C-alpha cells in the first residue's frame, strides 16, 4: 500500500503526471487495481468506467508527449455520484427503472473537472433516488459499507464517493449536499468534504427532461467534492468554482476574497440548539478549537447559532410542500421500505397552503439575514458535522425515533444548507475505532476562509485516509 500510486494525494498525482514521473495510464491502472481489490468488500463504485478511463489517460499521455500544457488535475481519477451525469453513461439514481437513462452530456461539474484533466473512473452509490435515507443503500446496487466498521453506516447520500476516496479507489469524489450529504459521509469515513455556497459551482439537477425542479431543490442542493486532504479539496474547489451558461445561478465571484484584518474570529458551538451532543463529538470540537487557537485564530465559545429550531421547521415544511405533488410517483419508485424515510416526514409535516408557503419563503430570507449578521461578527463557525458517532445502517428509516435521532444529529448541516453558506468537513482523529471530525462554516462565498481554517486543523491533527477496509464483506 505504501508505494502504490493510488495512495498519493491528488495534488501529487497531477504533479507526477505533468512532470512525466508517471504516466496517466499507470495512474489509472493503479486505481483500477485498487478498485478490483477493495470494491467487492465495500461496494462503493457502482458503474466502473475502466475502458473510458484508460482511453482518457492515453489521450493525456499523448498530449504531454506532444508538449501540450496539462491541467491542474492531469490524470487524477475521480468518482461521480449516481445522481450526476457523465456523458454516455446511465445516471441511474440507484433505481432499476433508470438503469438505461444514458446521459447525453456531462453535468457542469463533471465537465469542469474533466477540462482540468481529471478522469472519471466510475459512478458511486447512493440511497435510492437520494431520498431513501441517510445510509447509502440503493435498490439497484445494494449497501455500501463503512471501511472503518461495517456495523456503522458510511453516511449519505454521497456515501459511495466518501468510501471510494477513503479507501483509495479514487483521489476525488464528486457528491452533492442539501443538508449534510457531502459532509456527513466525509466525517463518517474520515475524509474531507466541501459544501459550497449556493451559486459558487455551476450545476444541473434536472432529472427527466428540460423542466427544472422547484425552489427548494434549486436553492438547497449544491454539488461538492470529497478528498483525503484539505489541499486536494482546495484544488478541486479552484477547478469547480466559476460560471456556466447552463446554470444561471452560478455567479462570477472570485474564488479568493480579501484577507481579513487581524486574527480571524471563530465562533464555537458544540451543541447547536442545545439538543445534546455525544462526548466524543464535543471532544472533537474542543480539539479542533485548540488547533485553531494554536494557529492564531481568535476562538470564542458562543451560546448558540441563530434560529436553529425555526430554520429546521421551515426547511422541513418547504421541502415537504415541494415533494407533495409528486409523492405518489416517487413513493412507487422508492418501493416498499425505501419510502419510509420520506414517508415519515410526509406524515409528520403537512404541506403548506399557498398563503403559508409565501410566508415560509419570507421566513427563509429572514433567517438568512440573521445568519449573515452572525457571520459578520464571526466570519467562521466551528461545530459538529453530526452530533453522534457514526450510527448503524438504516437507523433513520427504522422508525420515527430513529429518524428523529438522525435528523437531530445532522441539524447544523441542515441549517447551514438552508441559509446557503459554505461548510468544510475535516477529520480530527479517531475515537473508539471510528473517525471523528468537525465542520468549519463561513460567510457566503468565503470558502477560502473555511479551507484555510480546515488546513490549520489538518496541519495539527493529521489525515486519516487512505485506509484498508476493516470488513470481511458486505454487512447483512
Amino acid at each position: 500500500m505504501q508505494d502504490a500510486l493510488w495512495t498519493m494525494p491528488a495534488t501529487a498525482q497531477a504533479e507526477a503526471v505533468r512532470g512525466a514521473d508517471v504516466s496517466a495510464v499507470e495512474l489509472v491502472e493503479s486505481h483500477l487495481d485498487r478498485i478490483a481489490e477493495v470494491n467487492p468488500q465495500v461496494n462503493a463504485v457502482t458503474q466502473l468506467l475502466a475502458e473510458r478511463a484508460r482511453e482518457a489517460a492515453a489521450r493525456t499521455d499523448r498530449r504531454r508527449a506532444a508538449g501540450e500544457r496539462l491541467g491542474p488535475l492531469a490524470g487524477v481519477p475521480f468518482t461521480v455520484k449516481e445522481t450526476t451525469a457523465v456523458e454516455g453513461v446511465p445516471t441511474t439514481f440507484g433505481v432499476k427503472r433508470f438503469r438505461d437513462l444514458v446521459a447525453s452530456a456531462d453535468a457542469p461539474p463533471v465537465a469542469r473537472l474533466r477540462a482540468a484533466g481529471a478522469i472519471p473512473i466510475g459512478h458511486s452509490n447512493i440511497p435510492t433516488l437520494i431520498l431513501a435515507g441517510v445510509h447509502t443503500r440503493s435498490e439497484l446496487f445494494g449497501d455500501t459499507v463503512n471501511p472503518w466498521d461495517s456495523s456503522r453506516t458510511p453516511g449519505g447520500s454521497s456515501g459511495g464517493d466518501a468510501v471510494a476516496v477513503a479507501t483509495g479507489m479514487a483521489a476525488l469524489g464528486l457528491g452533492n449536499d442539501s443538508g449534510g450529504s457531502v459532509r456527513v459521509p466525509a466525517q463518517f469515513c474520515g475524509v474531507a468534504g466541501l459544501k459550497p455556497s449556493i451559486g459558487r459551482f455551476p450545476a444541473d439537477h434536472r432529472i427527466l427532461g428540460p423542466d427544472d425542479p422547484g425552489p427548494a431543490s434549486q436553492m438547497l442542493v449544491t454539488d461538492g467534492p470529497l478528498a483525503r486532504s484539505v489541499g486536494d479539496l482546495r484544488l478541486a474547489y479552484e477547478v469547480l468554482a466559476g460560471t456556466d451558461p447552463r446554470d444561471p445561478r452560478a455567479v462570477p465571484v472570485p474564488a479568493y476574497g480579501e484577507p481579513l484584518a487581524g486574527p480571524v474570529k471563530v465562533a464555537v458551538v458544540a451543541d447547536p440548539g442545545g439538543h445534546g451532543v455525544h462526548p466524543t463529538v464535543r471532544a472533537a470540537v474542543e480539539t479542533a478549537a485548540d488547533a485553531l487557537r494554536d494557529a492564531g485564530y481568535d476562538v470564542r465559545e458562543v451560546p448558540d447559532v441563530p434560529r436553529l429550531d425555526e430554520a429546521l421547521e421551515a426547511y422541513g415544511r418547504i421541502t415537504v410542500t415541494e415533494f407533495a405533488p409528486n409523492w405518489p410517483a416517487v413513493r412507487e419508485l422508492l418501493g416498499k421500505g425505501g419510502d419510509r424515510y420520506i414517508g415519515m416526514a410526509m406524515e409528520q409535516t403537512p404541506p403548506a397552503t399557498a398563503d403559508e408557503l409565501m410566508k415560509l419563503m419570507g421566513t427563509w430570507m429572514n433567517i438568512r439575514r440573521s445568519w449573515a449578521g452572525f457571520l459578520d461578527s464571526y466570519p467562521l463557525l466551528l461545530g459538529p458535522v453530526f452530533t453522534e458517532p457514526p450510527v448503524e445502517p438504516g437507523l433513520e428509516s427504522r422508525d420515527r425515533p430513529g429518524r428523529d435521532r438522525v435528523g437531530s444529529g445532522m441539524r447544523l448541516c441542515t441549517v447551514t444548507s438552508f441559509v446557503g453558506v459554505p461548510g468544510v468537513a475535516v477529520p480530527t482523529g479517531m475515537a473508539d475505532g471510528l473517525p471523528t471530525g468537525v465542520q468549519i462554516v463561513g460567510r457566503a462565498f468565503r470558502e477560502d476562509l473555511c479551507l484555510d481554517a480546515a488546513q490549520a486543523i489538518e496541519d495539527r491533527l493529521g489525515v486519516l485516509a487512505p485506509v484498508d477496509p476493516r470488513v470481511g464483506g458486505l454487512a447483512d
Side-chain angles (χ1 to χ4, degrees):
M1 171 172 167
Q2 185 173 0
D3 298 325
L5 296 178
W6 60 261
T7 65
M8 298 166 62
T11 49
Q13 290 180 18
E15 184 178 356
V17 170
R18 287 195 304 270
D21 296 318
V22 301
S23 69
V25 168
E26 289 173 324
L27 184 59
V28 163
E29 289 296 342
S30 178
H31 283 84
L32 291 174
D33 289 344
R34 181 63 173 173
I35 291 170
E37 176 189 0
V38 169
N39 201 53
Q41 301 176 66
V42 294
N43 193 37
V45 177
T46 50
Q47 299 184 71
L48 184 61
L49 308 179
E51 290 311 310
R52 289 168 170 263
R54 289 184 176 110
E55 291 168 5
R59 287 194 298 271
T60 297
D61 290 336
R62 288 194 296 269
R63 290 179 56 211
R64 182 183 61 194
E68 294 185 38
R69 184 175 180 180
L70 301 182
L73 287 171
V76 174
F78 69 102
T79 53
V80 182
K81 192 172 180 176
E82 279 283 351
T83 58
T84 305
V86 177
E87 182 181 6
V89 181
T91 312
T92 70
F93 290 84
V95 179
K96 291 179 181 177
R97 196 175 299 183
F98 292 168
R99 68 171 73 203
D100 298 319
L101 191 66
V102 176
S104 60
D106 286 339
V110 175
R112 293 185 75 87
L113 289 168
R114 205 193 289 266
I119 297 175
I121 202 166
H123 264 309
S124 52
N125 204 16
I126 60 171
T128 305
L129 277 179
I130 66 170
L131 300 175
V134 174
H135 174 57
T136 296
R137 173 192 294 143
S138 67
E139 175 198 35
L140 190 53
F141 301 111
D143 289 75
T144 295
V145 174
N146 189 317
W148 298 92
D149 184 343
S150 60
S151 72
R152 305 292 95 183
T153 179
S157 57
S158 306
D161 290 290
V163 172
V165 170
T167 56
M169 293 189 284
L172 299 172
L174 178 63
N176 46 48
D177 190 314
S178 61
S181 292
V182 164
R183 291 164 288 171
V184 170
Q187 192 226 292
F188 284 8
C189 294
V191 298
L194 166 64
K195 186 211 85 71
S197 309
I198 293 291
R200 170 58 84 183
F201 299 163
D204 187 347
H205 297 125
R206 292 175 291 180
I207 298 175
L208 299 171
D211 293 336
D212 279 292
S217 298
Q218 292 176 31
M219 295 298 293
L220 294 174
V221 183
T222 57
D223 294 332
L226 299 95
R228 291 190 290 274
S229 71
V230 175
D232 287 354
L233 203 65
R234 184 187 297 274
L235 181 56
Y237 161 69
E238 292 170 351
V239 167
L240 290 166
T243 61
D244 187 301
R246 291 182 288 172
D247 186 359
R249 298 167 299 175
V251 293
V253 179
Y256 291 88
E258 292 295 323
L260 301 184
V264 177
K265 284 198 269 187
V266 182
V268 180
V269 178
D271 182 9
H275 299 309
V277 61
H278 192 277
T280 61
V281 176
R282 183 181 292 277
V285 173
E286 291 171 351
T287 298
D290 288 342
L292 290 176
R293 288 189 186 96
D294 184 68
Y297 286 82
D298 182 2
V299 180
R300 307 182 186 187
E301 293 189 17
V302 300
D304 207 350
V305 299
R307 302 171 70 176
L308 182 130
D309 290 333
E310 187 181 359
L312 292 173
E313 182 179 358
Y315 179 106
R317 197 83 190 278
I318 290 168
T319 53
V320 162
T321 302
E322 186 165 303
F323 281 148
N326 297 317
W327 175 234
V330 170
R331 188 166 207 165
E332 182 182 352
L333 285 170
L334 287 169
K336 187 176 181 180
D339 64 344
R340 290 180 57 81
Y341 181 66
I342 298 297
M344 284 186 280
M346 301 295 290
E347 293 168 5
Q348 188 174 18
T349 306
T353 65
D355 288 346
E356 289 170 337
L357 183 59
M358 294 304 293
K359 185 175 181 181
L360 282 166
M361 298 303 284
T363 299
W364 190 353
M365 175 59 76
N366 201 254
I367 292 170
R368 292 180 70 182
R369 289 185 192 278
S370 296
W371 271 80
F374 175 78
L375 291 168
D376 184 59
S377 299
Y378 299 96
L380 293 174
L381 165 68
L382 168 64
V385 174
F386 197 87
T387 55
E388 294 188 44
V391 297
E392 58 266 37
L395 173 64
E396 71 281 1
S397 301
R398 184 183 306 164
D399 50 31
R400 191 173 301 283
R403 191 191 194 286
D404 291 346
R405 182 176 152 194
V406 171
S408 178
M410 60 186 185
R411 59 189 180 270
L412 185 59
C413 286
T414 303
V415 171
T416 49
S417 284
F418 191 61
V419 298
V421 295
V424 173
V426 60
T428 56
M430 300 286 293
D432 301 321
L434 292 167
T436 61
V438 296
Q439 64 176 314
I440 301 289
V441 176
R443 296 172 178 171
F445 299 105
R446 291 313 303 264
E447 289 86 352
D448 58 328
L449 297 180
C450 298
L451 289 164
D452 288 346
Q455 186 67 66
I457 293 170
E458 182 185 280
D459 288 344
R460 287 155 181 81
L461 302 179
V463 298
L464 300 180
V467 60
D468 285 326
R470 301 177 180 180
V471 294
L474 297 182
D476 293 335

